[in-house]
């Protein structure tokens, strides 16, 4: 059975970016996370210990977003590493991080960076 946990459109205000004003002003970010794991046992047991606790995943994302980085790639790398270390049952992680108002000319919904990682269990 293929199973996924998806956290959608987590909105966080943070201070990432290369430009000095980004460290002062900050920006709105949207994070999406997709995690694959075998959750069949949880579907039968109704026990939180048999699944990936998505509240804890959400907490990891919030903790890592507080730590300022110049690059979104660096933020995503930290999020993936921490999730992978805390939840060894995960076999695949996809994180998409969007800066909603990048300091660039032109109207847009934002700029996103997305990483996908297959994890050998």
């Amino acid at each position: 059975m293929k199973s996924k946990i998806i956290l959608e459109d987590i909105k966080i205000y943070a201070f990432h970016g290369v430009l000095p004003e980004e460290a002062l002003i900050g920006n709105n970010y949207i994070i999406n996370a997709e995690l694959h794991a075998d959750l069949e046992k949880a579907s039968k047991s109704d026990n939180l210990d048999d699944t990936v606790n998505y509240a804890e995943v959400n907490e990891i994302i919030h903790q890592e977003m507080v730590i300022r980085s110049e690059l979104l790639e660096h933020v995503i790398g930290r999020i993936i590493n921490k999730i992978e270390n805390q939840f060894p049952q995960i076999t695949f992680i996809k994180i998409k991080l969007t800066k909603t108002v990048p300091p660039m000319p032109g109207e847009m919904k934002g700029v996103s960076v997305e990483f996908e990682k297959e994890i050998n269990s």
Side-chain angles (χ1 to χ4, degrees):
M1 174 188 309
K2 187 172 189 176
S3 34
K4 303 176 185 179
I5 293 176
I6 302 170
L7 288 82
E8 296 183 85
D9 295 340
I10 303 166
K11 293 178 176 82
I12 299 175
Y13 199 84
F15 297 87
H16 307 299
V18 175
L19 300 176
E21 57 267 26
E22 292 180 288
L24 297 172
I25 299 167
N27 210 319
N28 287 304
Y29 293 85
I30 299 172
I31 300 100
N32 288 279
E34 179 178 321
L35 315 167
H36 297 195
D38 184 352
L39 305 176
E40 187 172 6
K41 185 175 180 184
S43 74
K44 295 173 183 169
S45 72
D46 197 27
N47 186 332
L48 184 59
D49 293 332
D50 294 333
T51 190
V52 174
N53 185 334
Y54 52 78
E56 291 180 17
V57 172
N58 183 58
E59 181 62 27
I60 289 170
I61 291 169
H62 277 81
Q63 288 170 357
E64 293 303 318
M65 286 297 291
V66 170
I67 302 167
R68 178 171 154 64
S69 290
E70 290 190 357
L71 301 179
L72 300 182
E73 294 87 341
H74 189 247
V75 179
I76 293 174
R78 290 196 324 265
I79 291 169
I80 287 174
N81 287 336
K82 201 154 191 185
I83 291 171
E84 182 180 359
N85 288 335
Q86 189 158 335
F87 300 100
Q89 68 270 46
I90 291 175
T91 59
F92 174 85
I93 301 175
K94 178 166 68 172
I95 304 288
K96 179 181 176 186
L97 178 55
T98 303
K99 183 183 288 190
T100 61
V101 187
M104 301 184 303
E107 198 171 314
M108 64 182 82
K109 289 177 92 173
V111 172
S112 301
V113 176
E114 181 175 272
F115 283 15
E116 295 184 10
K117 183 175 184 183
E118 295 273 352
I119 301 165
N120 298 327
S121 308

